[in-house]
Each structure stands twice: as C-alpha cells, then as structure tokens.
Amino acid sequence: MTENQDVPILKPIRDVGIVGYGAYIPRYRLPAREVARVWKAGTGGLSIEEKAVAGLDEDVITMSIEAARNALDRADIDPSEIRAVWVGSESHPYAVKPTSTVVAESIGATPHTQAADWEFACKAGTEAMQAAIGFVGSDMAHFALAIGMDTAQGRPGDPLEYTAAAGGAAFLLGPAEISLAVIEGSYSYATDTPDFFRRAEEKYPEHGERFTGEPAYFKHITSAAETLMQAMDSSPSDFQHVIFHQPNTKFPKRVGRLLGFTDEQIKTGLLVPIIGNVYAGSSLVGLTAVLDVAEPDERILLVSYGSGAGSDAMSLRTTTLLPERRDRAPKTYDYISRRTEIDYATYARYHGKITMK
Amino acid sequence: MEISRHWRLKRQRYALIGEVCPHCQKKIFPPRDICPECSEDARTLYQFSGRGEVYSYTTVYQAPSGYEANAPYTVALVKLVEGPMLTAQLTDLGDEPIEVGMPVEMVTRKLRSDGERGMLVYGYKFRPRLIEASE
Ligand SMILES: [Zn+2]
C-alpha cells in the first residue's frame, strides 16, 4: 500500500457543519505540585500546572448532558429532530448499559433517535463526530449529536495521575447552510500499535513505554494531518488555528512544529496546562475554546489521537453565524475560571481511591 | 430498588419537566395532572428553565442509606422563576457561602447508586449560576 497517493478524503454528498457546540469542565482542580507532594516529596518536573477533576456526583453521563445542553442552546433547534446521540469515552459509567440513552432522554431527543457509545481511547469523540458527519451528509438525518467526554484516571503515583483529567465537549452536526462552522473534509489514519491499553476488568491503564512517542502519537498525527492537507491542497499557513490531542504540553507543541505550524496557531486551543488531559474530550475542548473566539471565515485544523492507535483529522471553516451563537451558552473559559482547588486527600475521596468497606 | 419507578419519574427528574395548566397558565412541578390553582385538568408538559433561587436550606450530616458518600451536603428549598417550589440538593458550592436568595440553576447529577452493583440514579440538583448575568 502506498501512502498519500490519491488517498480520498472523507467528504459527504451533502455539506455538513457544526450547528451548535458546548464544552463542559468540572469545577475542581488538582495542582500537579500536590500530586508531586504526595508521591515525590515535591520533586520532579511537572508537565502541567493543574488538572480538572469531577465532583462526587459527576460522571461521563452528567458531564455529557451539560455539554449537550450547551450545544442545543447554541443551535436553538427542536431536540426531537436529533436522529443520533453518540458519546465517545473510555470512562462510561456502566460496562453494559449505554451512556447515550440517558443523555438522549435528558435533552429530549428520545425516542426517535439512534443512541450509541463509542470507544477508541482518546479519539472516541472525533470518530463519533465523523460518523455524525456521515449520518447527516448522507441525508439519513438532519441533526446528529457527537460527544467526547472523559473522567480519566491514572494509577496512584503513576505519571498519568498528574494529567488524567475530566471534561469534554458536544457538537451538534447539521446542514452546512445553518452551521457556525462547515466541515471542509476529514481523514482517518489507523494502525495496530500497542502504545497504551487497559484490559476489560482492570481499573487503571498500562502504557507500552517504547511505543508512546514516535511510532504512536507523532506518526499518526503527522500522517493524518499531512494527508488531509495535501488532499485539500492546503498548507499550515492556510489555517488560523490548529488543535492536536494534548496528553501533555510538550507533545502538541512539538508535533505542531514538525508539521510547520507556529506556536501562535496552537495557542488558543491548547488547554492541557490548565485542565489536564481530558482524553476523548482533549482535542474537542480545544476546538470549543477556538470557536469561542474565532472570527467568521477562519480555517481550523483539528487532529485527534487515540492509543491503539489512530488519528482523525478534520478541516473546518467558520461562518458568519458563529459570533451570535457563541453567546447563547457558557464558554469554555467560563468553566475554566470557575475553579476550586482541592488537595490529594479530597481527590482520593472523590475518585474512590479510598476503600471504606 | 424499584427500577420501574425510576423509569416513570425520569423525565421530571432528568430535565425538570412539569406541567402547565391550559386554563390558568399556572406552572406545576412536580406534575400532578390537576391544577392546584383552579382544580382543572392540567396535563400539558412544560419544560422549566431550571433557574431559581434558594428559599431556605439546611446541611445534612447524617445521610440516609444510599447517600452516605455525599455527606455532608446541603439540601435547599428552591423557588423556580416560573413559580413552583421544590426540594433539591445543592452541588458545586466550592467555597461560596450559601445565602437565602442566592440565584441557582438546575444541573443533572448522580443522586445515588444502589451499591457497587446496582443502578445509578440521576436527577436534578442545583448549583450557583455559572454566569451571573443569566436571567
Ligand atoms: Zn389552572
């Protein structure tokens, strides 16, 4: 198989766009220095400042409901017209029983709707988005809702515990004519790469050390981004904003430079230093932060990454409908600035790391 | 516990859906199919905005079975902007002091779980309004 030669990008028959979007980030923050205090007596380099942590009564279902309500407030459509509610996550509250049906019921999308949960590590949200593009683009549906949301967990003391965070975003896909951002095209790149995994019965994930950097994150993101840009006859300078999956601060900045993007293009969508890695929501809250401030007719490149491994790349162009719609619901930074710092003991209690019986 | 009862209540619990009286326009929550104002039939569904204010509140230290993990927590009488008064837990208070008259908004949260193996029950709670200016 040859790479990049006449690879068709994913483009639906009917043009599709984002009609409404909504972010959700919980209130609590665990500073990285607090994790270091407990496990490393305050020493060691910290890759982020702090991470967002879900409250005792929050999970992927409740967080998805709020993000979905924000997306609907922006779209201002009748929720009974939504024909698909798809939630991508690696922390669905139930092993068997969909997250999506509770979300669909809460927003008034039931019963004439598809409902399903998606999984593919940190790219479960973007793949739900791509499927929604297909659903609307084929005219099977007028509206489809795609969500990427996680309450990520790391084993106590593991490097992941500094960054594994909670948050995500919802996107209502619909006809391009009524969209605040039009999807110009997308492309997916996937291989069998064992960089990170969690067996079905295990609580915490494992990482295959040798695989985490070059052959995984960097290879998949650069391949997806380069193929999409080439197929669309575009180059990095054609985009005002670029958003990558952000497991830490270093990786997205480095992959951006590798591809020829400037720090300026990455800046607006880079939230990992202040909220952590929200897994399936990671690149998606980056996108909501960009949509919160972008001007009409700006181009945005979004590239997710999911361990296992794969990347979805998407090119978007904002429309004149964006400025009026973004003020209809709380913005990404409204959630980020609502901040209550917690200590490690409270964090342990919130996340069931203390066994009480 | 009774799974079928949770299922019947889910619309009012998840999304604060009540009724509006077609005769006198009174907004009714929880739904009771008869208007408390004019005693006529009232079965028209009504989606409440979820906005209201704290009318009174109390802190629960000794939680009933199923709610222990949340204790201590605050339960409030919330007066919805549409009129009805309801009892609900307050959440996401952070360090903010609770005050009578404090503007709050509805969020759907985990109310309880029936043990490690049981069902998770979701429903409305109220939190301080995220954006102060919102009406
Ligand atoms: Zn009446």
Side-chain angles (χ1 to χ4, degrees):
Chain A
M1 196 184 76
T2 55
E3 292 198 34
N4 294 3
Q5 285 301 101
D6 301 320
V7 178
I9 59 166
L10 307 171
K11 193 134 175 55
I13 296 162
R14 161 166 92 151
D15 283 336
V16 177
I18 297 169
V19 179
Y21 68 91
Y24 183 75
I25 296 157
R27 174 167 198 153
Y28 307 97
R29 300 287 177 277
L30 181 66
R33 64 174 148 71
E34 178 66 7
V35 184
R37 179 182 70 81
V38 172
W39 293 105
K40 293 190 171 167
T43 64
L46 307 173
S47 76
I48 65 163
E49 268 174 55
E50 59 186 13
K51 64 171 186 173
V53 174
L56 267 173
D57 58 0
E58 298 187 281
D59 61 20
V60 163
I61 289 179
T62 66
M63 293 162 58
S64 295
I65 291 169
E66 181 153 349
R69 284 184 178 142
N70 288 336
L72 281 172
D73 283 347
R74 288 201 168 91
D76 197 23
I77 61 140
D78 178 352
S80 67
E81 287 187 72
I82 300 171
R83 288 288 171 273
V85 175
W86 290 331
V87 184
S89 179
E90 54 181 290
S91 34
H92 292 292
Y94 286 98
V96 178
K97 185 182 181 311
T99 297
S100 51
T101 49
V102 187
V103 177
E105 189 78 47
S106 299
I107 60 169
T110 50
H112 306 294
T113 190
Q114 242 278 338
D117 293 358
W118 295 70
E119 288 187 14
F120 191 150
C122 299
K123 84 172 191 75
T126 51
E127 70 185 352
M129 251 176 112
Q130 268 185 333
I133 293 167
F135 222 49
V136 176
S138 64
D139 224 356
M140 280 172 70
H142 210 52
F143 296 111
L145 183 69
I147 300 171
M149 192 67 68
D150 256 306
T151 53
Q153 298 262 358
R155 178 177 285 113
D158 186 276
L160 286 175
E161 195 175 36
Y162 291 86
T163 53
F171 296 88
L172 186 77
L173 282 300
E177 314 83 75
I178 56 165
S179 290
L180 52 84
V182 171
I183 313 283
E184 296 182 309
S186 71
Y187 169 75
S188 283
Y189 183 93
T191 68
D192 178 12
T193 306
D195 58 328
F196 177 90
F197 47 88
R198 176 168 67 84
R199 291 286 297 272
E201 301 300 320
E202 293 296 313
K203 187 167 176 191
Y204 302 114
E206 303 291 330
H207 24 127
E209 291 293 354
R210 287 182 306 121
F211 289 103
T212 47
E214 298 307 329
Y217 182 90
F218 292 99
K219 168 73 176 162
H220 289 75
I221 287 189
T222 54
S223 300
E226 273 168 357
T227 308
L228 181 65
M229 284 193 286
Q230 192 176 318
M232 296 186 59
D233 215 9
S234 297
S235 63
S237 60
D238 294 328
F239 295 89
Q240 277 70 38
H241 305 280
V242 63
I243 304 135
F244 301 108
H245 173 56
Q246 32 204 278
N248 53 44
T249 312
K250 235 186 286 171
F251 277 25
K253 283 189 168 172
R254 201 171 124 214
V255 83
R257 284 185 210 121
L258 275 173
L259 283 162
F261 289 94
T262 63
D263 285 358
E264 192 62 26
Q265 287 165 292
I266 296 172
K267 197 178 63 180
T268 311
L270 190 68
L271 304 182
V272 64
I274 45 176
I275 65 165
N277 175 9
V278 298
Y279 284 50
S282 174
S283 54
L284 296 182
V285 281
L287 178 57
T288 63
V290 166
L291 292 173
D292 284 341
V293 298
E295 302 288 329
D297 208 31
E298 286 192 344
R299 289 185 73 194
I300 303 165
L301 181 69
L302 171 78
V303 194
S304 66
Y305 173 73
S307 293
S311 274
D312 302 324
M314 229 173 272
S315 171
L316 302 99
R317 187 188 289 275
T318 57
T319 75
T320 52
L321 295 174
L322 175 60
E324 55 177 280
R325 279 198 205 159
R326 69 174 151 228
D327 291 329
R328 292 179 187 168
K331 300 193 176 85
T332 315
Y333 272 91
D334 290 327
Y335 286 105
I336 293 174
S337 53
R338 179 190 70 143
R339 173 187 175 281
T340 300
E341 197 174 308
I342 57 172
D343 59 15
Y344 194 87
T346 307
Y347 170 70
R349 180 181 172 216
Y350 281 11
H351 286 273
K353 292 183 196 221
I354 299 172
T355 304
M356 288 171 75
K357 56 183 167 195
Chain B
M1 71 181 238
E2 330 83 355
I3 291 176
S4 59
R5 192 169 71 88
H6 289 315
W7 190 79
R8 280 199 311 277
L9 291 172
K10 67 186 189 289
R11 280 182 114 173
Q12 78 181 59
R13 267 212 192 129
Y14 289 176
L16 223 56
I17 290 174
E19 291 164 333
V20 56
C21 173
H23 309 282
C24 73
Q25 303 309 311
K26 186 173 175 65
K27 314 293 191 295
I28 307 158
F29 194 92
R32 60 195 70 157
D33 299 349
I34 302 279
C35 178
E37 195 75 18
C38 68
S39 307
E40 297 283 341
D41 252 26
R43 295 165 191 273
T44 312
L45 294 181
Y46 179 81
Q47 169 72 68
F48 283 84
S49 68
R51 289 186 287 273
E53 57 175 55
V54 173
Y55 186 79
S56 72
Y57 63 92
T58 183
T59 302
V60 176
Y61 294 95
Q62 299 290 327
S65 161
Y67 298 85
E68 300 96 331
N70 289 322
Y73 56 85
T74 305
V75 172
L77 262 179
V78 172
K79 189 170 168 46
L80 300 173
V81 292
E82 294 90 347
M85 189 97 79
L86 53 81
T87 307
Q89 196 177 317
L90 299 182
T91 188
D92 279 358
L93 289 162
D95 307 323
E96 290 173 54
I98 309 161
E99 284 166 19
V100 168
M102 181 168 99
V104 290
E105 62 192 358
M106 186 273 280
V107 287
T108 306
R109 292 293 169 91
K110 217 158 40 176
L111 297 182
R112 55 173 290 165
S113 59
D114 292 342
E116 287 277 303
R117 305 174 54 163
M119 225 181 65
L120 300 169
V121 180
Y122 298 89
Y124 56 80
K125 292 189 181 183
F126 286 79
R127 72 165 175 218
R129 279 189 211 167
L130 188 70
I131 299 173
E132 308 256 337
S134 66
E135 269 314 296

